[in-house]
Amino acid sequence: MTKGHDKAKTLFETLVRNGQGKKNRMASIQVSWMLAKAKKPYAESEFIKKCATLMIETIASEKEKSILKKVKDVPLSADTATRRISKCIENVNEQLMNFMKYALVVSFSVDESISDIAQCCIYPHH
């Protein structure tokens, strides 16, 4: 697994551990995260659920179709995806703020070369 994947998995596990202990919620968070990373509308989560259901119905044997109910129970509405991404953003912001608290030195860089809008970068050094 990649380092980024490990960090994302830890983030998901933290969100699930904080009062959302079901596997279907973990799946919902992961789908929402993938939509956000791909810059796709959150409304596509329902489409993803329909596709997953169709694939399971087509491929799975009768014995394996018990997973179909589990897939149908995964909360994937656009509102749910929005809430999940908001929680992910809050968690990342919290991690960044904790990281900045313990930085020994902080460097700032401002760049206006690409557009009229100044972009600021903060580099914490530990």
Side-chain angles (χ1 to χ4, degrees):
M1 283 190 210
T2 64
K3 193 174 185 179
H5 185 271
D6 290 341
K7 286 183 182 180
K9 186 175 180 184
T10 303
L11 169 64
F12 299 143
E13 289 168 353
T14 301
L15 292 171
V16 169
R17 188 172 39 249
N18 292 339
Q20 300 178 2
K22 296 185 178 181
K23 288 182 180 181
N24 62 353
R25 294 188 191 234
M26 178 67 154
S28 176
I29 292 167
Q30 289 176 326
V31 169
S32 299
W33 182 255
M34 293 301 293
L35 286 170
K37 281 178 61 176
K39 298 179 183 176
K40 298 288 184 186
Y42 300 145
E44 287 189 18
S45 57
E46 285 291 330
F47 178 71
I48 291 170
K49 185 176 185 175
K50 288 177 186 175
C51 291
T53 303
L54 182 63
M55 286 188 292
I56 292 168
E57 287 173 349
T58 304
I59 296 171
S61 68
E62 289 303 317
K63 291 180 183 177
E64 297 169 325
K65 288 199 177 178
S66 62
I67 197 164
L68 188 60
K69 183 183 178 333
K70 291 179 182 179
V71 169
K72 287 182 178 179
D73 288 343
V74 174
L76 284 178
S77 69
D79 291 339
T80 301
T82 302
R83 281 194 312 274
R84 303 275 192 249
I85 294 303
S86 294
K87 287 194 180 274
C88 288
I89 291 169
E90 288 173 17
N91 186 282
V92 169
N93 284 338
E94 189 176 305
Q95 288 179 38
L96 285 172
M97 294 309 288
N98 285 335
F99 190 71
M100 293 296 292
K101 280 182 197 176
Y102 301 106
L104 299 174
V105 178
V106 178
S107 302
F108 292 91
S109 174
V110 179
D111 182 17
E112 294 179 334
S113 64
I114 296 174
S115 67
D116 292 339
I117 299 171
Q119 296 182 13
C120 179
C121 291
I122 303 170
Y123 301 97
H125 303 275
H126 289 267

